[in-house]
Amino acid sequence: MKSQLGERVREIRMELYGSHGGPMLASELGIPFWKLLTYEEGQSKIPGQTMLRFIERTKADPRWLLTGQGPKYDHRV
């Protein structure tokens, strides 16, 4: 069963990097692409350091990532 957080991470990845951009995002996060897929599928938990890098790279709003509520992107940045 996919985690809601993983689903939201995937949603942002698809919007910003497209269907073939996963390896590029994984590289920016400093992780292998297969590991990113396990996070998106909810097979493993996303480490804090990786989540912080994801937020920094994508400008995703942490509240939206956690709850699915509010704006998807942090427009204050």
Side-chain angles (χ1 to χ4, degrees):
M1 177 179 214
K2 289 186 179 182
S3 75
Q4 292 178 344
L5 175 61
E7 289 175 0
R8 288 191 275 274
V9 165
R10 183 176 193 281
E11 184 176 329
I12 288 178
R13 174 181 61 88
M14 293 294 286
E15 284 182 11
L16 298 180
Y17 293 83
S19 59
H20 300 290
M24 182 187 310
L25 175 59
S27 176
E28 290 179 11
L29 298 176
I31 61 172
F33 177 52
W34 65 267
K35 194 65 176 167
L36 176 60
L37 292 178
T38 67
Y39 298 153
E40 291 180 355
E41 294 170 0
Q43 294 176 3
S44 60
K45 301 209 184 245
I46 305 171
Q49 188 78 358
T50 302
M51 195 75 246
L52 289 173
R53 277 192 227 117
F54 180 82
I55 291 168
E56 178 184 52
R57 298 286 181 184
T58 64
K59 307 301 184 225
D61 186 277
R63 180 173 182 249
W64 183 84
L65 284 168
L66 186 61
T67 66
Q69 298 177 355
K72 190 181 294 184
Y73 298 99
D74 187 350
H75 298 288
R76 297 173 294 171
V77 188

